[in-house]
Amino acid sequence: MTATSEPLLPAEPLVPELERRPTFYERWRVRLDADPRVHRLWRWLAPLLVTLFAGILRFWNLDHPHAIVFDETYYVKDAWSQWHLGYPGTWPDQADARFADGESDIFTTNPSYVVHPPLGKWIIGVGMWLFGADSSFGWRFSVALFGTATVLVLYFVARALGGSIVYASVAALFLAVDGLGIVLSRVSILDGILAFFIVLAFWFVLLDRRRHRERLAEAVEARTVDGIPPAWGPVFWNRPWILAAGAAIGAATAVKWSGLYVIAALGIYLVVDDALTRRRLGVGYWPTDGLRQGLVTGVLFVPVAFVVYLASWTGWLVTDGGYDRHSADADPATGFWSWVPLSLQSLWKYHQAIYASNIGLTTPHTYASPAWQWPLLIRPTSMYYLGSKAGENGCTVGGHGCAEGITSIANPLLWWAAVIAVIYLAWRCFARRDDGDWLVLTGVIATYVPWLLYPDRTIFQFYTIVILPFMVLAMTTLLRDLAQLKTHRGFALGRWATGVFIVAVLAVSAWYYPVWTAIQVPYDLWYLHFNRSGWV
């Protein structure tokens, strides 16, 4: 060392990193990403397994209880009389027990006034036609099938959003094990069928979006001269997935009118998304250009939805006995609308009556829950309950005896976490401007916000089954981002936290499964599930 040399500073002690063995999941992900054969296998196996699991949860012991529960009193009996008459007929008083005992032919030809379109009841009727009207499995078969199919379609939605096999599987798994998804697949009412068609419409929109963007980019590139994009882009009429989405959302509206909100929301999304895509591609007059394509998209989207909706009323139109079937005969339209067939004029009058009934429905109900309560999970709906003393109905427990019931409590852990995830998703939409996030948020808004406009209407917590698929997509997005978090030493803290959360959701669902499916348990155990005021 020379006199002018700087003294050597002691080096900082090196902290040897602990050698960490990869987890089973990490080894599996490496194989999944690196081996095309493994990827191809799991591309088919993952949706098959999660759908099979969902089907087991929905179809197991589906015929229990062998009784008309909750609003099955409307939809099951209306479905069966509609299957025979073409329209819902009336039933005698106290018909539920007689129907369950096999007296399925006691309906009359007098029309029943119903406030929902016919498609959902036609679908319920298919199961009864296949397995018999005296079979509780038969009258719940269709809703269980559609509920299971919703899990599969949600998987494809998650994949189409650009999610991995793992992302899509987790989203589908959450829907498969949630209480709303299970109960609304095991009780023969309309909302589970409605959810299926709404999720299907979103999947079709995603399939169209991918192809439309590819074609638009190719067309704009072909019209670009000397690096300058064109002032106007192309207008595409050949968009079969838009036709399919229109048909799906028309079917949703033919189950319940709340599908109309989704038609409006998806229509706005399609126009805005196309315009912003043209902007990114450099099209000069992109706002007006997007509006041109939007008008064409509307022509493709809306009429087919209307045709599907109108077709659902075929039974009412081709028979003479339906409610208000000849209401226009004595007072037909004059002037411009005089050309409309009397049957369609009568259908319009019937729709006016339905609208008035739906808007003015303020009948008090024990389990009514306004929409502002839904995120808080304040008042789930009890759809069935049977208490038994020792020696009754197979109960062998003394004390308070046994209980069995069906209550549409969402998985509380998943539900409240998903509410937080929706808020996170809203932030993410503006922070990262991800197109997929905007579509999921559109789904949440379309299926929830309109209900806030009716604070006095009699509505129920289980209506949230149509919101749930979009909430679990938001939850899965939050978990995917969380899984990226690591400590400064490289420990995959986020991934472990995500895994723990998923396991916890499964454990909570296992705990609540008896009160979702009317499994008989000791009353004290049954009551432990209802640890909040308003849940019983």
Side-chain angles (χ1 to χ4, degrees):
M1 178 184 296
T2 63
T4 59
S5 298
E6 294 288 337
L8 293 177
L9 297 177
E12 293 186 5
L14 295 176
V15 179
E17 293 191 8
L18 297 176
E19 186 175 328
R20 185 177 64 87
R21 295 180 60 185
T23 64
F24 173 81
Y25 171 77
E26 290 170 334
R27 295 195 301 271
W28 175 80
R29 278 303 302 266
V30 169
R31 290 191 61 201
L32 180 68
D33 296 336
D35 191 333
R37 293 175 302 175
V38 174
H39 190 276
R40 191 161 49 246
L41 171 66
W42 280 98
R43 189 178 63 188
W44 291 100
L45 193 57
L48 177 64
L49 290 177
V50 73
T51 305
L52 179 62
F53 183 48
I56 292 171
L57 296 178
R58 284 152 178 77
F59 279 95
W60 177 82
N61 205 26
L62 183 63
D63 59 346
H64 179 74
H66 184 74
I68 299 288
V69 304
F70 194 57
D71 280 356
E72 286 185 342
T73 187
Y74 305 114
Y75 304 121
V76 170
K77 292 183 300 182
D78 283 349
W80 190 236
S81 60
Q82 178 178 275
W83 190 263
H84 287 275
L85 302 174
Y87 59 88
T90 58
W91 295 76
D93 293 338
Q94 310 300 322
D96 287 2
R98 294 176 63 185
F99 185 90
D101 288 339
E103 293 186 70
S104 59
D105 59 350
I106 56 176
F107 56 86
T108 74
T109 58
N110 296 326
S112 174
Y113 175 64
V114 296
V115 295
H116 294 302
L119 183 58
K121 292 181 283 291
W122 284 117
I123 291 171
I124 292 171
V126 171
M128 303 169 76
W129 172 67
L130 288 172
F131 299 99
D134 59 342
S135 166
S136 49
F137 178 89
W139 71 63
R140 295 174 186 139
F141 170 80
S142 292
V143 292
L145 183 64
F146 272 70
T148 304
T150 305
V151 173
L152 178 61
V153 175
L154 184 67
Y155 175 92
F156 292 135
V157 168
R159 287 285 280 156
L161 284 168
S164 65
I165 292 175
V166 175
Y167 173 89
S169 299
V170 170
L173 178 64
F174 283 159
L175 182 60
V177 302
D178 185 78
L180 276 172
I182 292 172
V183 171
L184 273 296
S185 300
R186 294 177 61 93
V187 176
S188 194
I189 58 179
L190 303 178
D191 300 82
I193 301 173
L194 172 66
F196 167 79
F197 284 118
I198 289 176
V199 176
L200 185 66
F202 273 78
W203 182 35
F204 290 154
V205 165
L206 281 164
L207 294 177
D208 168 80
R209 189 183 72 171
R210 180 177 59 188
R211 178 60 182 144
H212 177 64
R213 288 180 174 182
E214 291 174 354
R215 294 170 65 198
L216 188 57
E218 292 169 358
V220 170
E221 183 179 1
R223 298 184 184 191
T224 299
V225 178
D226 296 329
I228 302 176
W232 299 93
V235 173
F236 294 110
W237 285 88
N238 182 21
R239 299 177 69 179
W241 289 117
I242 290 297
L243 293 172
I249 206 61
T253 308
V255 175
K256 267 191 165 184
W257 277 7
S258 48
L260 287 169
Y261 301 127
V262 183
I263 291 178
L266 277 180
I268 293 171
Y269 173 84
L270 287 167
V271 173
V272 172
D273 182 72
D274 177 82
L276 294 178
T277 300
R278 291 168 190 265
R279 179 189 181 188
R280 285 194 295 269
L281 294 173
V283 175
Y285 300 119
W286 62 269
T288 309
D289 203 35
L291 182 60
R292 287 195 311 149
Q293 178 65 68
L295 293 174
V296 172
T297 303
V299 171
L300 295 172
F301 185 60
V302 177
V304 69
F306 174 76
V307 169
V308 170
Y309 176 81
L310 185 61
S312 73
W313 288 90
T314 298
W316 187 92
L317 290 168
V318 301
T319 57
D320 289 320
Y323 191 90
D324 268 358
R325 175 60 180 79
H326 294 285
S327 59
D329 292 6
D331 185 25
T334 59
F336 178 78
W337 298 108
S338 60
W339 62 272
V340 177
L342 287 175
S343 58
L344 294 179
Q345 291 185 37
S346 296
L347 184 61
W348 174 249
K349 289 179 178 293
Y350 188 16
H351 276 60
Q352 290 177 313
I354 293 173
Y355 176 77
S357 296
N358 279 315
I359 292 298
L361 183 61
T362 56
T363 306
H365 195 286
T366 305
Y367 290 99
S369 177
W372 68 264
Q373 293 183 352
W374 294 352
L376 304 176
L377 201 60
I378 289 177
R379 190 59 171 157
T381 309
S382 176
M383 299 188 178
Y384 169 78
Y385 176 80
L386 177 66
S388 302
K389 298 178 181 179
E392 296 178 346
N393 303 310
C395 178
T396 59
V397 179
H400 293 114
C402 300
E404 57 183 79
I406 300 173
T407 305
S408 63
I409 300 176
N411 180 307
L413 174 61
L414 177 59
W415 178 264
W416 286 319
V419 170
I420 296 171
V422 169
I423 298 172
Y424 170 76
L425 186 76
W427 169 83
R428 201 176 189 273
C429 283
F430 292 97
R432 302 193 181 184
R433 299 185 180 183
D434 184 279
D435 298 326
D437 291 346
W438 277 109
L439 185 59
V440 175
L441 191 62
T442 297
V444 174
I445 293 171
T447 53
Y448 175 59
V449 171
W451 292 109
L452 293 171
L453 304 177
Y454 305 101
D456 298 323
R457 190 181 184 277
T458 306
I459 54 180
F460 301 91
Q461 174 84 30
F462 68 82
Y463 288 9
T464 55
I465 183 60
V466 296
I467 316 172
L468 182 63
F470 306 103
M471 295 179 68
V472 300
L473 287 171
M475 186 69 245
T476 312
T477 299
L478 173 58
L479 292 180
R480 182 176 60 185
D481 291 351
L482 175 65
Q484 307 305 314
L485 298 180
K486 295 183 178 181
T487 67
H488 71 285
R489 291 179 178 270
F491 176 70
L493 177 63
R495 184 172 294 173
W496 277 99
T498 298
V500 169
F501 178 81
I502 294 172
V503 172
V505 166
L506 294 176
V508 171
S509 286
W511 166 251
Y512 276 95
Y513 191 71
V515 303
W516 294 335
T517 57
I519 295 174
Q520 188 183 84
V521 295
Y523 175 85
D524 293 337
L525 177 61
W526 176 86
Y527 192 78
L528 282 176
H529 294 80
F530 305 96
N531 55 1
R532 290 190 57 185
S533 174
W535 280 20
V536 178

